[in-house]
Amino acid sequence: MVRISARVIAGSRGLFITAISMIVLVAAACSSDDPAATAPAASPTAADPITTPTPTPAPEPTTTAIPTPTPLPVPDLPNFVEVAAFGSDPSSGLVFARPNGIAIDTEGNLYTTEFQGNRVRKISPDGELLLEWGGSGGGPGQFTAPTGIAISADGDIFVSESGASRFQKFSAGGDWLGSFGSIGFEPGRFDSAMVIAIDDASRVYVTDWGNGWVQVFSTEGDFIETLSAWGMEPGQLFNPTGLKIGPDGNLWVVDRGNHRIQRFTTEGEHLTTWGERGEGPGQFRTPTSINFDADGNFYVSEVGNFRVQAFTADGQFIGELAPGTFNNPHGLAFDQSGALYVADTGNDVIRKFVIE
């Protein structure tokens, strides 16, 4: 995912070094308060028979079996079949310039952002272009490198712009309703607004690439709070991109710079961290977007490894979607039928997969 930032982060922050303390436990000896226990033993006399005690055999050691937990069964990756690649046929009149974010309305229509095209497009499930708006610029209704897109419960469209460090609000028909945020390094402003999500309480969450946190607003654009902080420790973020409210009601964040996925409550309490940098199953290299299927499994796109991986809700690797066919994939979205749409950004297409 290309970003346009107003400052260079490298060098502005130090690595966090965690000192590890070692605790030594010293067992204290116990003393008896019974005088008889401390009185010297009487010396034996000739009248006292001396007997040799019969040694008591030591008891046989016993072992307690520790049960091995049975791992949860890992489901198979659904048999996804690709049925369309929107934008692959120039004669259709639908050509993309680096498609990025994807959102789907209640009727199954797609709304997409184009990082280089600087526009939003509304497309039917069959790939018919229904509506588009935007254009290059910093004015109302214009875009500079738009990345994220989300639809509120009221049907309004929210678009985040990495280039303009803001997000804008539109009606479902593309009418401009407001712009929020600007370039800056304090709460309420952005150093590259990346991806956007909306929860059931109408709170708008936006990942802030350069500032390394998630910012929260109302759907009217009022700033509420920031979540997390820049860093590399669990619960901290480094160049966050994708985010999504999961089926569990929690906030799932693609911690791109740290090559991992983190889960938080919507109030910012850190819950879980998955992944590390690498190319193997369950590892990540510059992950970018996340979404969930109807069973609660989550899918993650990676621009570094050119792939989309699938995991169970507790982070167990399931499989890889269409291996070896993606070029810098970004946005992911499921419609109500279970079809999966992937913004294959480097190939300038939106790909549609259905379960066979």
Side-chain angles (χ1 to χ4, degrees):
M1 181 179 293
V2 182
R3 75 172 279 279
I4 302 174
S5 175
R7 62 174 185 170
V8 178
I9 299 174
S12 64
R13 307 180 188 265
L15 294 176
F16 297 91
I17 303 176
T18 304
I20 302 176
S21 301
M22 299 188 64
I23 302 174
V24 181
L25 301 178
V26 179
C30 297
S31 59
S32 172
D33 293 330
D34 183 1
T38 57
S43 300
T45 63
D48 298 324
I50 300 176
T51 59
T52 301
T54 301
T56 302
E60 292 292 330
T62 60
T63 59
T64 302
I66 300 175
T68 302
T70 302
L72 295 175
V74 178
D76 294 328
L77 180 70
N79 184 26
F80 284 104
V81 176
E82 184 170 0
V83 294
F86 304 149
S88 60
D89 181 8
S91 65
S92 67
L94 184 62
V95 177
F96 293 105
R98 296 297 186 262
N100 203 293
I102 308 175
I104 299 178
D105 67 16
T106 55
E107 297 177 352
N109 298 308
L110 284 69
Y111 288 80
T112 68
T113 57
E114 290 179 65
F115 188 81
Q116 290 183 359
N118 291 315
R119 60 191 169 189
V120 170
R121 283 172 147 177
K122 179 181 179 180
I123 305 165
S124 75
D126 296 325
E128 178 187 357
L129 178 62
L130 303 176
L131 180 68
E132 69 175 68
W133 70 86
S136 300
Q142 296 178 319
F143 299 111
T144 304
T147 44
I149 188 166
I151 303 175
S152 71
D154 296 331
D156 293 327
I157 312 299
F158 290 76
V159 180
S160 51
E161 296 173 75
S162 60
S165 293
R166 66 179 181 179
F167 67 95
Q168 298 191 68
K169 179 180 179 181
F170 301 87
S171 71
D175 298 320
W176 180 80
L177 300 177
S179 297
F180 312 102
S182 61
I183 183 69
F185 313 114
E186 61 270 8
R189 304 176 75 182
F190 298 98
D191 184 13
S192 202
M194 296 300 291
V195 178
I196 195 164
I198 305 172
D199 68 11
D200 292 338
S202 295
R203 286 163 53 104
V204 180
Y205 301 80
V206 187
T207 45
D208 189 339
W209 168 285
N211 288 319
W213 53 30
V214 175
Q215 301 211 52
V216 188
F217 296 79
S218 73
T219 51
E220 299 305 314
D222 299 316
F223 172 75
I224 298 175
E225 62 180 332
T226 61
L227 306 179
S228 188
W230 187 97
M232 301 176 186
E233 297 297 320
Q236 297 177 333
L237 301 170
F238 179 23
N239 294 154
T241 53
L243 80 167
K244 191 72 176 176
I245 305 298
D248 58 1
N250 292 309
L251 184 66
W252 297 61
V253 182
V254 178
D255 189 3
R256 175 170 168 160
N258 287 319
H259 309 283
R260 63 190 180 187
I261 305 299
Q262 299 208 66
R263 184 170 64 110
F264 301 84
T265 66
T266 51
E267 288 75 36
E269 178 188 354
H270 175 248
L271 300 174
T272 321
T273 298
W274 289 285
E276 61 183 359
R277 182 184 176 92
E279 300 178 359
Q283 296 179 318
F284 301 108
R285 193 154 65 92
T286 53
T288 183
S289 295
I290 186 170
N291 216 316
F292 297 82
D293 67 16
D295 294 324
N297 303 311
F298 65 93
Y299 294 67
V300 180
S301 57
E302 299 170 74
V303 297
N305 283 326
F306 301 97
R307 66 184 178 184
V308 175
Q309 295 190 83
F311 302 85
T312 62
D314 59 356
Q316 298 182 79
F317 173 75
I318 297 175
E320 182 179 341
L321 177 71
T325 65
F326 292 104
N327 183 5
N328 292 330
H330 280 73
L332 306 168
F334 286 89
D335 68 12
Q336 293 180 342
S337 73
L340 170 59
Y341 295 85
V342 182
D344 194 349
T345 305
N347 288 321
D348 287 321
V349 295
I350 302 290
R351 300 170 64 178
K352 181 178 181 179
F353 297 85
V354 298
I355 298 176
E356 191 176 61

